[in-house]
Amino acid sequence: MKNPTQPLAPPSDYPRCFHAQCPKANDCLRQLATRQDTGDRAFIVTVNPKAIPADAGACPHFKAARKVRLAWGVKNLFDTLPQKQAKSIKAEILRHFGRTKYYRIYRHETYMEPGEQEYIRKTFLRHGIQEDPVFDKYTEGYVW
């Protein structure tokens, strides 16, 4: 289970980059993943050094390392809504995420990225709920 109070580590299959001299290295999520790695894994996925262009500043593998607001949990999401609307909104959210992901979010085993939070906000709006949804807790982290 992920602990929302701890920084989220990069997934094992997230491609790392070892081009430390890259002009964008300090701002690259792939470089950050490389720096956070420990010796726990014998094998990791990396960007092929031969696939890095001569002008590393224009690297197509660059991913900006920007923290975003992550939302955790939906246990109280429907508490203030009328029962009929809550039931309808929950059904729509369940269809969108699927039961497995929905209940992993519910149990704080995974987070919601900003786009997923926005989907829920728009679902509320479609059902006539003007107030923004409030999730159980929020943290900052990277979307790998």
Side-chain angles (χ1 to χ4, degrees):
M1 182 166 138
K2 292 179 182 176
N3 181 347
T5 61
Q6 297 299 317
L8 299 171
S12 59
D13 62 345
Y14 190 79
R16 275 78 166 150
C17 181
F18 287 90
H19 184 46
Q21 294 77 31
C22 176
K24 293 185 174 183
N26 290 335
D27 300 318
C28 184
L29 200 54
R30 298 188 195 287
Q31 276 283 323
L32 178 63
T34 302
R35 290 190 301 269
Q36 287 185 1
D37 274 334
T38 63
D40 295 352
R41 289 189 211 101
F43 300 96
I44 56 175
V45 178
T46 65
V47 174
N48 181 348
K50 293 183 178 186
I52 298 171
D55 177 12
C59 181
H61 311 294
F62 173 80
K63 297 289 180 193
R66 288 191 204 105
K67 285 190 175 183
V68 296
R69 187 176 188 212
L70 305 172
W72 297 80
V74 292
K75 290 182 180 175
N76 303 306
L77 189 61
F78 309 108
D79 289 355
T80 61
L81 305 181
Q83 184 178 8
K84 186 175 181 180
Q85 283 179 306
K87 187 176 179 179
S88 180
I89 292 171
K90 183 177 179 181
E92 192 172 328
I93 291 170
L94 269 165
R95 277 191 305 276
H96 177 77
F97 287 108
R99 293 186 79 75
T100 301
K101 180 156 184 173
Y102 176 84
Y103 284 106
R104 289 191 69 226
I105 292 167
Y106 182 88
R107 293 185 305 263
H108 295 205
E109 293 173 1
T110 192
Y111 55 83
M112 285 176 284
E113 300 173 8
E116 295 168 324
Q117 297 168 51
E118 181 65 10
Y119 171 81
I120 292 175
R121 189 184 73 72
K122 287 180 177 177
T123 302
F124 271 49
L125 286 172
R126 279 194 305 277
H127 288 267
I129 307 297
Q130 298 300 312
E131 62 226 35
D132 284 341
V134 178
F135 303 103
D136 297 353
K137 69 170 53 175
Y138 299 89
T139 59
E140 280 194 346
Y142 298 101
V143 176
W144 302 99

